[in-house]
Structure formats: C-alpha cells, structure tokens
Amino acid sequence: MSVKHGIKTLGIVGASGQMGNGIAYVAATRAKVPRILLLDQSQAQLDKGLKFFDSLLAKDVSKNKLSQSDADEARASLHPVADGLASLGSGQELTPDMVIEAATENLSIKQKIFSQLATQLPLETILATNTSSISVSKIAASAVSQNAAPGSKEVWDGPKRALGLHFFNPVPVMKLVELIPGLQTSQDVVDRATAFAAACGKTITRSADTPGFVSNRLLVPFINEAIIALETGVATKEDIDTTLKLGMNHPMGPLQLSDFIGNDTVYYIAETLHRETGDSKYRPSVLLGRMVDAGWLGKKSGKGFYEYPPK
Ligand code: 3HC
C-alpha cells in the first residue's frame, strides 16, 4: 500500500533563495500543495523570489507545460511570511505539516533554525533539511523544543521527525531528490517524505548519512580536481569545460558548474568532506579558497571562473 504524504500546508525556510524558490515551484505546480508558507527575512527578498516564480509560471504557460488555471492555482497557494520564523505555529494557518529548510549551508544556522522550528511546531510536523553535505543526524539532534525537560519523551521524539531531502539546482528541471534519513528518523517520516518528493515529480534515491551523501561525495572532488587542473596549468578554463561538455556530454563543464552552484558552497562541501573523513583526496584546492576569499562566488556574485554581467 502506498503511503500518502498528507502535506496540506508546507513551510519553506529560505524561500527566496534559488533552492527554496525552486522547491516552492515544484510543490505548488506538481505536488499541488494547497498552502505554501514562504519564510524569509525581508519583504524585499520575498518580492524578488515571487517575481522569479511568476516568470517561471509565465514561461511554462507560454510553452503549454502548464494551463493558466493551474498556474493561477499554484500562485494562489503561496503565502509570503516576512517575519522569518517568528509567527510560525501561531494558529492553524501558520502551522505546517512539513517544513523544508533551504537556508545557507552552515551548521550553526541550521541547528538554530531546527531548534526554533521544534519549539514552535508540534511533534507531528516533518522537518526536512536541504543540506548538501552536513550530518543530518547532527541537524536532527537540534530538533528539540527549548522548553523540553532534560530526558523527557520530547527530547527523544523531536529528532525522529527530521530528515534530509536534497534537491538539485535548478529544482524545476533536475529530476532527482536524494533522501537521507538521520540515525533518529522514523520510518513513517521517511515514507511520507518519499511520497511528497514523488508528488513533486522527482525520482528518489536514498543515501546513508555520510559526508556529501552520494551526490556531493562524487561531484565535489570532480569539480575540485578540475580547479586543480586549472591551477596547475594543465589547460585553460575554456578547454577544461569544453573537454567535459563535448567529450563526456556534460551539460556544463565543471568550472561553469562550480560557478552555477556557488564557489563558496563547493568550498564548504569540500571542507566538510575533508574534515569529516580526514582523507586528503577531498582537500579543497587553494585556488578555490582564494576565489571565495575574493568574493568570486560565481553566478550569484557576478564573477567566478567566468563573468556574469547583470542582465
Ligand atoms: N530555474 C528554473 N528553470 C530553469 C532555471 C532556473 N534557475 N535555469 C534554467 N531553467 C530551465 C529553463 O527555463 C529551460 O526550461 P524550458 O525547457 O521549459 O524552456 C530549461 O531549464 C533549459 O534552460 P536553457 O535552455 O536556458 O539552458 P540549458 O539548456 O543550457 O540548460 C541547465 C540549463 C538546465 C542549467 C543545464 O545547463 C544543466 O542541466 N546544467 C547542470 C545542472 C546541474 O548539474 N545541477 C546540479 C548541481 S549540484 C546541486 O544542485 C547539488 C548541490 O548540493 C551542490
């Protein structure tokens, strides 16, 4: 018997970022979640995200991938909440069945968010993280209400509702979700999250909670090696990217992909892999570190390995 996800209200933390926005898009247009709370810290950020969401809807309608009435319904499901998490849990309309956190890839930020979510939301709310490399068990361990008495059932049960749901950028296009149960995650939460990701039109693969999971354990060393090839003068950036694009049919070369993901994110993942495994094969290249130091983060900052003039 297939499990139903039962998600009627979904919260997305970091809803204006490229991942959060994309997750909102597939949740609204494919899974048809009736109510989506877009949680972010400022109205300006939310407005920017909504503008992009509208442009995707318009594009899909113009290409007959979506009917106008489905697009209107998807748009009507969005509810921007500009006070971040402050009002979450105050009343039924602000109490989601599931929250997906797509904030910056930083452990202490994610722990703070999970602790706040656990404090304000009931134990039944599924808490998913879109982390790309951090230990899901560690993030889940912070899904405990700040009001829980030490050793209470709440302390034991809180982390059971947390898991990793790793989407790929651009979310509306990439067909995969990597599902990562933490050590604590309950089977019911895994089943419902699987059903939700499938309703979003995704194929689901499952990974153990190890650094980088399957995807970034393989992808990030590949990108890092391309940066080392550039750094050591093996070839120009154009020749490295063209070799992989035309020789291996990759849609983007590795340096272009690093700019696309964000060089800071690639660096952070490489550092996590290196630190947690102790294996030198994961050590981030010096050039990648210097690019992050310089603020050359890729597409989002206008400059990385390539330049991205404002449109
Ligand atoms: N959001 C939504 N849709 C987008 C988009 C975005 N940000 N960017 C592009 N698209 C859509 C376009 O609208 C277009 O849709 P259409 O088919 O309906 O017209 C479609 O993607 C193709 O776009 P384009 O024709 O403009 O460009 P390309 O054919 O060059 O494709 C690409 C662009 C899909 C980004 C392609 O280059 C690609 O697949 N690149 C590799 C992406 C990849 O590897 N992503 C995974 C990164 S790793 C990750 O996310 C994990 C993390 O943990 C690091």
Side-chain angles (χ1 to χ4, degrees), residues 109-167:
I109 291 176
K110 290 183 190 293
Q111 284 175 318
K112 215 169 140 209
I113 291 171
F114 268 64
S115 161
Q116 196 174 346
L117 291 172
T119 304
Q120 294 174 207
L121 296 173
L123 275 173
E124 295 71 42
T125 302
I126 298 174
L127 304 180
T129 172
N130 184 51
T131 181
S132 44
S133 63
I134 299 173
S135 158
V136 170
S137 304
K138 203 181 261 184
I139 297 172
S142 55
V144 173
S145 165
Q146 288 149 15
N147 310 318
S152 64
K153 188 168 177 316
E154 217 180 329
V155 172
W156 179 250
D157 283 345
K160 291 184 183 173
R161 64 183 142 168
L163 84 167
L165 269 191
H166 184 205
F167 290 80

Side-chain angles (χ1 to χ4, degrees), residues 15-141:
S16 315
Q18 53 187 1
M19 298 307 291
N21 203 290
I23 294 167
Y25 194 77
V26 295
T29 58
R30 313 237 173 104
K32 297 186 183 295
V33 174
R35 187 172 171 79
I36 302 177
L37 307 175
L38 303 175
L39 305 156
D40 224 312
Q41 279 155 358
S42 82
Q43 192 58 48
Q45 278 172 311
L46 285 165
D47 289 344
K48 205 170 144 212
L50 286 170
K51 208 170 146 202
F52 186 65
F53 193 100
D54 286 339
S55 71
L56 286 181
L57 284 179
K59 189 259 304 171
D60 278 348
V61 169
S62 76
K63 293 194 156 188
N64 288 326
K65 290 184 174 177
L66 203 63
S67 71
Q68 187 59 56
S69 65
D70 282 349
D72 293 343
E73 202 179 309
R75 187 63 175 77
S77 68
L78 303 186
H79 297 270
V81 183
D83 66 359
L85 306 187
S87 58
L88 212 57
S90 58
Q92 203 190 341
E93 299 216 314
L94 285 164
T95 304
D97 307 298
M98 177 177 188
V99 176
I100 302 179
E101 166 275 312
T104 311
E105 186 69 353
N106 175 296
L107 174 62
S108 61
I109 291 176
K110 290 183 190 293
Q111 284 175 318
K112 215 169 140 209
I113 291 171
F114 268 64
S115 161
Q116 196 174 346
L117 291 172
T119 304
Q120 294 174 207
L121 296 173
L123 275 173
E124 295 71 42
T125 302
I126 298 174
L127 304 180
T129 172
N130 184 51
T131 181
S132 44
S133 63
I134 299 173
S135 158
V136 170
S137 304
K138 203 181 261 184
I139 297 172

